[in-house]
Amino acid sequence: MLKRHFDSEYKVLIKYYKIRGVGRKMLQFKKDDLYIEQVKLSDIAKEYGTSTYIYSKSQIVNNFENYKKALSLKEGLICFACKTNSNGAILKLLAELGAGADTTSGGEIYRCLKAGFDPSNIVYAGVGKTAEEIEYALKSKIFMFNVESFEELDAIDKIAGKIKVKAKIAFRVNPHVDPDTHSYIVTGKKGTKFGIPYEDAVNAYLTAKQKKNIVILGIHSHIGSQILDVGSFKLAAQKIKKVVDAVEKNGIKLEYINCGGGLGVEYTKKQKAPSPKQLMSELFPVFDADKKFIFEPGRSIIANAGHLLAKVIYKKVSGGKSFLITDAGMNDLIRPTLYEAYHEIIPVKKTDDKKVKTDVVGPICESGDFMGKDRMLSVVEQGGYLLITCAGAYGFAMSSEYNSRPLLAEVLIDGDKAVLIRKRATYEDLLLNEV
Ligand SMILES: *Cc1c(COP(=O)(O)O)cnc(C)c1O
């Protein structure tokens, strides 16, 4: 009986907002109020203020378990790309679930160690690793470096020699494929700054073989982000396989195939995201059966588990357009501004009013400061709340104090419990390191 009640509510939600995949099960209306899991969002606003990032624990667990299950056919590791969301509570949760971490800086390695990741499950990519970062990573005994240039290889070899350890590496090889996604997040195309150019890959391995302090473990490629077409991953894998064959012919064994991250999520109802299982069932057969695999999902673990709750400060009509001005701005969520990204926006209170075409904008002094344009939204009054959905990845992580706006609070929901996992910053915090 209870279940049927929830199911019908859930259908109402789908029909009302035609949401697909946006944390579907974890986000639902009960009567007129929007809930994440069993917590009413207007209660979160009252308790913690706005704007606030809110995450669903069960959605995170669900997303990670899908990867883990899909990989269970092979040996390997799911390394959460922690640049997407590096809150310690979320990292700790993923570490406890058995995730490894994909890091891009010394700071991320530090956060991951603090959150309880086993260093032997941490991989480290990035085109500009400094000597200090390399030394820190080596001393922390991370699993491996994803090396992106010949000069970086030299640097790692030298520093490893200096502190008398061996550095385990894979080369990040740029397979020169061009997935269909925003140009700022394409990384595997010819002419981007990432990885060893495809034609130099074999030479890179031959060079590494001569280095005294380097141990070659595998090969890595990461072609971009928000990719919805499994075909791009497969094409990249087929090109990587050619490198693997050529390298192994030279007597260098590549134990690990790191396929990177980049799997897209459903920001709009038109998008259809492949599952980890679909992805892996395309990629596994490309390589020999004995290979171990690493995947580095970020967005597809955390995007649809997180949402930004904002308050409507004012309404106004200007130049024939309706605006809702919220307390969330581009400094809090920069994706719409930076990538012209679309986030579904849902009023937290359901009404029967007819819908009005509205721009949802922030308070910042930039025309690029918007959360959504030309949205058909039911009427929301001053003081009402909006949920900007699917904002868990590259949301808080890319936020700043621009316009001297303190960083936001973050809340993790687990069933009927809400836990504060980051305090809202204060005005004093704005001056913290000034001397
Ligand atoms: C950003 C990044 C990822 C994660 O990408 P998503 O699209 O968030 O899954 C994985 N690996 C590397 C090397 C990255 O830079």
Side-chain angles (χ1 to χ4, degrees):
M1 184 62 209
L2 193 63
K3 182 171 182 304
R4 193 179 303 155
H5 174 71
F6 280 123
D7 281 349
S8 70
E9 288 287 351
Y10 169 58
K11 276 189 200 114
V12 169
L13 171 73
I14 298 294
K15 211 171 132 206
Y16 196 73
Y17 289 108
K18 299 201 183 71
I19 293 173
R20 288 208 43 225
V22 186
R24 235 183 299 186
K25 274 176 278 176
M26 312 308 168
L27 196 61
Q28 58 184 339
F29 276 102
K30 293 182 195 172
K31 296 223 173 70
D32 292 338
D33 291 296
L34 190 59
Y35 283 66
I36 291 178
E37 301 195 23
Q38 274 93 65
V39 177
K40 198 201 267 191
L41 292 179
S42 53
D43 289 347
I44 296 279
K46 271 179 221 134
E47 172 114 23
Y48 301 104
T50 55
S51 358
T52 295
Y53 275 97
I54 307 174
Y55 307 96
S56 158
K57 179 177 171 182
S58 48
Q59 185 75 55
I60 299 170
V61 172
N62 200 55
N63 292 344
F64 179 74
E65 292 297 332
N66 282 341
Y67 269 98
K68 207 165 137 181
K69 217 187 296 162
L71 185 66
S72 63
L73 296 171
K74 296 277 181 185
E75 263 186 80
L77 199 56
I78 305 296
C79 291
F80 175 60
C82 66
K83 72 171 183 280
T84 56
N85 190 314
S86 53
N87 183 291
I90 289 170
L91 294 180
K92 182 165 176 281
L93 169 63
L94 286 160
E96 283 166 3
L97 292 170
D102 164 46
T103 60
T104 55
S105 71
E108 285 185 357
I109 294 171
Y110 175 79
R111 277 182 186 274
C112 287
L113 294 173
K114 286 280 173 193
F117 282 93
D118 188 333
S120 65
N121 289 340
I122 296 176
V123 297
Y124 178 21
V127 292
K129 302 176 188 82
T130 65
E132 291 77 16
E133 287 178 312
I134 291 167
E135 185 165 339
Y136 177 61
L138 286 169
K139 286 182 170 162
S140 303
K141 302 189 164 59
I142 66 162
F143 185 20
M144 72 174 103
F145 291 83
N146 292 320
V147 178
E148 307 218 15
S149 65
F150 285 79
E151 289 194 359
E152 183 193 331
L153 178 72
D154 283 343
I156 294 173
D157 179 52
K158 269 206 200 86
I159 296 166
K162 188 184 82 180
I163 62 171
K164 300 194 169 56
V165 296
K166 298 275 180 251
K168 290 178 281 185
I169 67 135
F171 280 106
R172 175 173 182 172
V173 174
N174 186 330
H176 297 171
V177 300
D178 187 7
D180 177 24
T181 187
H182 193 281
S183 64
Y184 289 6
I185 52 176
V186 168
T187 58
K189 193 181 162 187
K190 199 168 182 164
T192 61
K193 67 178 175 180
F194 298 97
I196 303 279
Y198 190 69
E199 56 277 9
D200 297 339
V202 177
N203 192 18
Y205 281 98
L206 294 175
T207 308
K209 198 182 170 187
Q210 307 304 319
K211 303 277 183 197
K212 278 210 299 287
N213 308 302
I214 296 287
V215 177
I216 299 168
L217 277 194
I219 190 164
H220 172 258
S221 82
H222 170 73
I223 58 173
S225 197
Q226 185 51 21
I227 300 167
L228 295 168
D229 166 29
V230 173
S232 298
F233 290 107
K234 188 166 182 181
L235 191 62
Q238 286 164 336
K239 295 189 76 172
I240 292 296
K241 169 71 161 89
K242 289 195 182 137
V243 178
V244 173
D245 287 347
V247 169
E248 293 196 328
K249 257 197 206 109
N250 283 284
I252 301 167
K253 170 103 173 106
L254 299 179
E255 189 181 353
Y256 284 91
I257 309 292
N258 184 335
C259 300
L263 196 61
V265 300
E266 297 170 358
Y267 288 107
T268 75
K269 57 180 184 279
K270 285 194 214 93
Q271 291 173 321
K272 187 81 199 89
S275 66
K277 190 175 169 195
Q278 285 168 320
L279 174 69
M280 291 187 205
S281 66
E282 291 288 334
L283 299 190
F284 290 158
V286 173
F287 298 95
D288 295 345
D290 64 339
K291 293 297 178 202
K292 297 174 184 167
F293 285 84
I294 299 172
F295 288 87
E296 303 174 332
R299 191 190 305 271
S300 50
I301 298 284
I302 195 69
N304 69 0
H307 313 279
L308 178 57
L309 181 64
K311 183 158 79 180
V312 173
I313 307 294
Y314 299 114
K315 290 196 299 185
K316 76 172 174 187
V317 178
S318 177
K321 286 190 92 155
S322 293
F323 293 91
L324 290 177
I325 300 160
T326 68
D327 57 2
M330 63 184 270
N331 69 303
D332 304 309
L333 177 64
I334 203 172
R335 298 194 66 260
T337 309
L338 189 59
Y339 310 118
E340 297 171 310
Y342 181 95
H343 290 268
E344 190 91 35
I345 299 173
I346 311 175
V348 159
K349 202 83 179 152
K350 196 155 66 180
T351 66
D352 292 329
D353 293 332
K354 69 171 175 25
K355 294 186 181 174
V356 186
K357 194 191 263 189
T358 308
D359 280 12
V360 179
V361 301
I364 300 211
C365 305
E366 307 249 355
S367 304
D369 179 28
F370 64 91
M371 298 288 120
K373 285 187 170 164
D374 295 329
R375 300 302 177 83
M376 296 306 293
L377 294 179
S378 53
V379 175
V380 180
E381 295 303 334
Q382 190 180 23
Y385 301 111
L386 295 172
L387 194 70
I388 302 152
T389 63
C390 212
Y394 307 102
F396 185 91
M398 291 180 93
S399 66
S400 76
E401 294 171 339
Y402 185 44
N403 273 214
S404 289
R405 290 159 49 80
L407 294 179
L408 301 185
E410 294 177 287
V411 170
L412 181 64
I413 291 177
D414 178 10
D416 58 2
K417 284 194 295 292
V419 182
L420 186 68
I421 57 171
R422 173 190 286 271
K423 284 193 285 191
R424 186 177 306 283
T426 62
Y427 288 158
E428 294 82 72
D429 292 334
L430 296 173
L431 306 183
L432 205 58
N433 290 319
E434 288 186 13
V435 288

